[in-house]
Amino acid sequence: MRKAARKWKGSSAYLYLLPCFCVFAVFLFYPFAKTIYLSLYKTNKLGQAKLFVGLENYKNLLTSEAFYNSMTVTLVFVAIVVLGSMLLGLIAAVLCSKAFPGIRVFSTSYALPMAIASSGAAMIFRIILNPTIGIVNKLTGLDINWISDPRYALVCVAVLTAWLNSGINFLYFSAGLGNIEESIYERASVDGANAVQQFFRLTLPGLSPILFYTLVVNIIQAFQSFGQVKILTQGGPGESTNLIVYSIYRDAFFNYRFGSAAAQSVVLFLIVMALTLVMFRIERKGVNY
Amino acid sequence: MSEIVLKNVCKQYEKGQQYAVQDVSLRIGEGEFVIFVGPSGCGKSTTLRMIAGLEEISRGELWMDGALCNYVEPKERGLAMVFQNYALYPHMNVYDNLAFSLQIRKMDKKEIDRRVHEAAGMLGIEHLLRQRPGSLSGGQKQRVAIGSALVRNVKVFLLDEPLSNLDAKLRAQMRVELAEIHRKLGATMIYVTHDQTEAMTLGTKIVVMDQGRIRQADRPAEIYNHPADRFVAGFIGSPSMNFFKGTIRVPGRAAFLELEDGTMLEVPENRAGLLEEKYAGQRVVLGIRPEDLHEAGWPGGSGKTGHADRSSWKLEGEIVAREMLGSECMLYLESDAGDFAARLPVAVRGAVGEKKQLYLDMTRAHYFDAQTEKNIFYREGRDLV
Ligand SMILES: Nc1ncnc2c1ncn2[C@@H]1O[C@H](COP(=O)(O)OP(=O)(O)OP(=O)(O)O)[C@@H](O)[C@H]1O
Ligand SMILES: [Mg+2]
């Protein structure tokens, strides 16, 4: 009797997880399983699996130049976006960590990108970067076709994305800074540390747990950028901004090669997972305190 | 020379709020050991933080070494501070916490190492050097905080209740250690404490504060023997002074203090003059320390010495509590004149509930004006006697 009760108590935990699990199953586990399944088939135009081809989709992928280009573009993009958005968020958060008149306005505007849809922002950037009427060229006096020049297009998309992602980073970092005790800065200033020393010896280490978390989230988020590419460059000019997510989209919904798109998705998943695992491994070795 | 002078220093945290510190004027000479005492919230930490430069001075002047320092950055002031809440760097281990102030000055690594180990050894925290503050006990943290101030070779130390979290033995040990450091370095120490022993033994000067104001600033013995007012008298000394309300009567040649229960205590000769002259028929407060109450038979407890009749100095009360202090014994009594406490030899007789007659050593009593609460015999830092 008692044993049964205990057993029920132990397994009742799963009952609580059930609703959440159902949602995950429908929107996450099923599509994921289906993706893996599709990546092993050739499909018809409706995306139905028709012919089992084993690992051929993957083989094709790994021998195609377009895929490698897409990978390189994505890595460069992710590097710029992660660095840019974290720096922007960090600087904004540090600037807003001390109370001053009008701080509300500033914090709101630093956090605002979070609330802007990526496609909307991309539309605005199109106007800003327009070679003839855009404010960038007007102000700098340059004559650059930002979006149509393969040298600048990727950077433009990356900067836009960095700015979009900086809003949430600002929030993370602000919360992290709030967790650092004010008194250690007082002690440091009596100890004789200047502002730079205080930043590198106290602020950065104090942020390290949240810094790590933010880094992981940012990398994942950057890998999944889509809307801004779709609106701003459509992967062009040439293939210069053909990020992997955009390439998946194109393969699936323009070229109707669902098998190849699914294979790319799986590869993207593997990359992101590997990165995340590596970072957690590093973290456990002592970024934290 | 490192003299610190505060001139009418005031601190108001927010406009319209009460002053946390008000009109504090104080001269702290080089090498002094100044102790700030006072009830919680009286502005001790605030004063210290203003000296350190962590709080802006709302009004008044702070002079250090003859230079006005109101707006000098904390790091330029060249002082070391132990914070009331330790303020250890949570992500650094104890070693780095101790070494931080030296590391940022790019001091030679060997010298840093030597100083850190010296401080750690003195404080008994050498085995903790590799640990993070998060895993330390309160007392250990406090010792790290003390250590990180001591490694610095500065002229002025600010210590905000540095020993509050240590056990009695360690505290006594550290007290001796601090006195030694003070003697060796010849540095100025400004020290906040709630501990009477620390205040009396360490200080060359005690500053008693209440509600943001200095009540009295003087040498420990002066503060103890000649308190400026009733507040200081009650605050310094543990257990604190007994107070009795009374009225001065001059029926004949001698002056008497009539307590509320009608007891007449003859005022000794040296006090009688002023009291007869100015306070005849007026209300005063008599203050007498627990150790100045005695059993019958104490030397001079009977008969006449001088002109006062000592046999009149007795007071009866009912014992309500009895406390063993080890070498001595405290009796707490109730009487119609008021409640009082007495510190007596352990052998004293009397159980709870019994009546007990005690003698007051009126030559050591203090008289306070009932209205102003000032010590009637206090003048310019000295008693008239
Ligand atoms: N940052 C602050 N903002 C507003 N008021 C403050 C601030 N710090 C202290 N106060 C007020 O100033 C007064 C003096 O505080 P302070 O910390 O100096 O007291 P203290 O004498 O050190 O007390 P304790 O013995 O409890 O440490 C208190 O009434 C307190 O409420
Ligand atoms: Mg305090």
Side-chain angles (χ1 to χ4, degrees):
Chain A
M1 183 59 206
R2 201 179 286 164
K3 211 171 183 182
R6 207 180 309 147
K7 203 163 182 187
W8 160 243
K9 226 175 176 183
S11 49
S12 70
Y14 292 102
L15 209 64
Y16 294 112
L17 288 175
L18 197 65
C20 177
F21 186 82
C22 286
V23 174
F24 273 162
V26 173
F27 292 103
L28 219 65
F29 301 144
Y30 171 71
F32 184 60
K34 187 74 191 245
T35 304
I36 295 178
Y37 170 77
L38 278 180
S39 73
L40 304 174
Y41 281 84
K42 281 229 181 307
T43 59
N44 66 8
K45 287 206 168 185
L46 295 175
Q48 287 156 330
K50 281 292 163 201
L51 180 66
F52 181 79
V53 291
L55 291 177
E56 197 174 304
N57 281 329
Y58 292 95
K59 225 182 280 167
N60 289 343
L61 213 56
L62 294 178
T63 50
S64 100
E65 210 158 291
F67 175 71
Y68 285 111
N69 172 64
S70 178
M71 282 314 299
T72 326
V73 167
T74 305
L75 288 181
V76 173
F77 175 83
V78 167
I80 299 177
V81 169
V82 169
L83 256 172
S85 67
M86 288 189 59
L87 266 180
L88 265 177
L90 182 61
I91 292 170
V94 170
L95 287 178
C96 285
S97 65
K98 293 240 157 55
F100 58 88
I103 183 164
R104 289 271 171 107
V105 179
F106 281 95
S107 339
T108 310
S109 49
Y110 286 134
L112 201 61
M114 202 173 39
I116 301 176
S118 57
S119 41
M123 297 294 275
I124 296 167
F125 259 62
R126 256 167 85 134
I127 301 169
I128 292 176
L129 295 172
N130 186 295
T132 47
I133 62 160
I135 194 165
V136 174
N137 277 355
K138 281 267 190 313
L139 283 184
T140 55
L142 295 171
D143 184 26
I144 296 175
N145 198 343
W146 295 100
I147 296 167
S148 316
D149 190 324
R151 279 176 301 174
Y152 301 116
L154 182 63
V155 177
C156 286
V157 181
V159 168
L160 165 61
T161 312
W163 174 65
L164 280 173
N165 294 359
S166 73
I168 192 84
N169 291 348
F170 168 74
L171 279 199
Y172 287 145
F173 288 138
S174 291
L177 288 175
N179 276 336
I180 303 178
E181 243 195 276
E182 189 59 37
S183 64
I184 67 170
Y185 290 103
E186 294 184 338
R187 183 182 148 202
S189 64
V190 175
D191 276 351
N194 59 31
V196 178
Q197 286 166 327
Q198 289 184 22
F199 179 78
F200 284 103
R201 298 289 307 260
L202 304 184
T203 306
L204 270 191
L207 281 179
S208 76
I210 199 127
L211 213 57
F212 169 77
Y213 171 75
T214 320
L215 183 69
V216 175
V217 171
N218 266 278
I219 289 180
I220 295 173
Q221 206 180 7
F223 265 108
Q224 296 177 340
S225 310
F226 173 74
Q228 50 276 51
V229 182
K230 170 95 172 72
I231 301 279
L232 212 55
T233 62
Q234 287 92 32
E239 295 277 293
S240 63
T241 58
N242 194 11
L243 300 182
I244 189 147
V245 176
Y246 191 73
S247 152
I248 292 169
Y249 162 80
R250 232 174 20 187
D251 258 1
F253 302 112
F254 280 94
N255 307 334
Y256 301 109
R257 290 164 51 203
F258 288 97
S260 159
Q264 288 181 58
S265 300
V266 173
V267 172
L268 174 63
F269 164 76
L270 288 177
I271 292 172
V272 171
M273 190 179 72
L275 271 175
T276 311
L277 285 182
V278 166
M279 285 190 295
F280 271 103
R281 182 63 55 82
I282 295 172
E283 192 220 9
R284 217 168 297 146
K285 286 224 180 91
V287 182
N288 209 338
Y289 65 83
Chain B
M1 199 191 84
S2 65
E3 190 189 46
I4 299 174
V5 180
L6 289 85
K7 283 188 190 159
N8 298 89
V9 168
C10 299
K11 176 69 192 179
Q12 194 178 23
Y13 277 103
E14 242 133 88
K15 277 229 162 62
Q17 239 185 18
Q18 220 185 330
Y19 280 93
V21 168
Q22 200 165 1
D23 275 329
V24 164
S25 296
L26 191 66
R27 178 182 299 273
I28 300 169
E30 176 168 6
E32 270 201 83
F33 203 130
V34 178
I35 311 262
F36 279 84
V37 294
S40 188
C42 70
K44 307 179 295 290
S45 296
T46 306
T47 309
L48 226 61
R49 290 167 57 83
M50 284 193 287
I51 296 174
L54 297 171
E55 277 329 322
E56 202 181 316
I57 296 172
S58 310
R59 203 142 37 77
E61 297 169 8
L62 171 69
W63 294 77
M64 292 165 93
D65 293 337
L68 184 67
C69 280
N70 281 35
Y71 299 105
V72 175
E73 288 284 313
K75 68 180 160 70
E76 313 294 345
R77 297 195 184 193
L79 24 80
M81 182 161 177
V82 177
F83 287 79
Q84 187 168 8
N85 61 353
Y86 320 135
L88 301 180
Y89 305 124
H91 51 273
M92 297 183 198
N93 62 24
V94 170
Y95 184 97
D96 287 328
N97 260 287
L98 292 173
F100 181 78
S101 58
L102 309 177
Q103 286 168 349
I104 56 173
R105 289 194 170 67
K106 310 245 160 24
M107 191 185 266
D108 179 43
K109 283 237 167 56
K110 280 217 190 78
E111 172 66 10
I112 293 180
D113 202 57
R114 192 187 65 73
R115 287 203 200 176
V116 167
H117 280 284
E118 187 186 19
M122 194 176 73
L123 295 159
I125 47 173
E126 244 170 345
H127 59 292
L128 302 172
L129 284 178
R130 294 289 146 220
Q131 288 193 31
R132 291 257 165 85
S135 63
L136 301 182
S137 76
Q140 290 169 333
K141 282 184 195 160
Q142 194 153 38
R143 279 181 278 165
V144 177
I146 299 173
S148 45
L150 291 186
V151 293
R152 296 187 55 195
N153 214 341
V154 290
K155 284 262 153 263
V156 181
F157 288 91
L158 308 175
L159 305 116
D160 200 342
E161 302 188 27
L163 309 182
S164 58
N165 255 323
L166 305 184
D167 62 69
K169 182 163 164 254
L170 205 53
R171 192 185 293 206
Q173 204 176 315
M174 284 305 303
R175 209 165 55 217
V176 175
E177 209 74 76
L178 280 177
E180 168 104 12
I181 290 165
H182 175 241
R183 197 178 49 74
K184 221 162 46 187
L185 297 181
T188 308
M189 301 237 175
I190 306 176
Y191 190 104
V192 175
T193 184
H194 282 287
D195 185 307
Q196 301 262 344
T197 324
E198 277 168 34
M200 298 306 287
T201 55
L202 282 176
T204 58
K205 185 191 266 177
I206 293 183
V207 179
V208 184
M209 289 186 73
D210 182 39
Q211 298 183 356
R213 291 175 182 276
I214 293 186
R215 286 303 190 97
Q216 189 175 5
D218 214 329
R219 284 178 288 131
E222 288 296 323
I223 297 252
Y224 191 81
N225 294 321
H226 307 293
D229 56 27
R230 187 178 160 173
F231 174 82
V232 175
F235 192 80
I236 298 291
S238 165
S240 61
M241 194 182 272
N242 300 304
F243 295 104
F244 299 100
K245 291 200 182 98
T247 314
I248 297 294
R249 303 276 179 224
V250 193
R253 273 187 14 170
F256 286 87
L257 178 71
E258 184 186 350
L259 300 184
E260 282 187 329
D261 66 343
T263 310
M264 296 287 263
L265 304 170
E266 190 177 339
V267 178
E269 179 84 332
N270 56 359
R271 304 292 192 187
L274 187 64
L275 288 176
E276 270 173 34
E277 190 183 315
K278 286 209 173 143
Y279 284 87
Q282 292 201 38
R283 300 182 58 75
V284 296
V285 174
L286 173 79
I288 188 150
R289 294 198 185 277
E291 60 264 34
D292 295 328
L293 281 102
H294 304 273
E295 276 194 291
W298 59 287
S302 57
K304 286 197 171 225
T305 27
H307 294 279
D309 177 11
R310 291 199 171 202
S311 60
S312 77
W313 294 351
K314 59 177 185 273
L315 189 60
E316 195 180 59
E318 186 188 322
I319 302 173
V320 291
R322 190 187 163 118
E323 261 175 17
M324 254 294 288
L325 295 182
S327 60
E328 281 162 319
C329 167
M330 290 296 306
L331 290 187
Y332 295 90
L333 301 99
E334 268 177 5
S335 78
D336 292 338
D339 301 348
F340 58 103
R343 188 201 286 262
L344 298 162
V346 186
V348 68
R349 258 176 302 175
V352 173
E354 287 177 12
K355 295 257 184 218
K356 178 95 188 158
Q357 211 168 50
L358 291 172
Y359 287 84
L360 287 66
D361 186 351
M362 292 292 284
T363 58
R364 299 181 56 83
H366 303 271
Y367 303 85
F368 303 96
D369 189 306
Q371 247 92 58
T372 63
E373 303 215 321
K374 293 261 180 274
N375 188 342
I376 293 168
F377 292 92
Y378 180 80
R379 293 283 184 284
E380 290 296 313
R382 289 292 173 276
D383 236 327
L384 282 182
V385 188

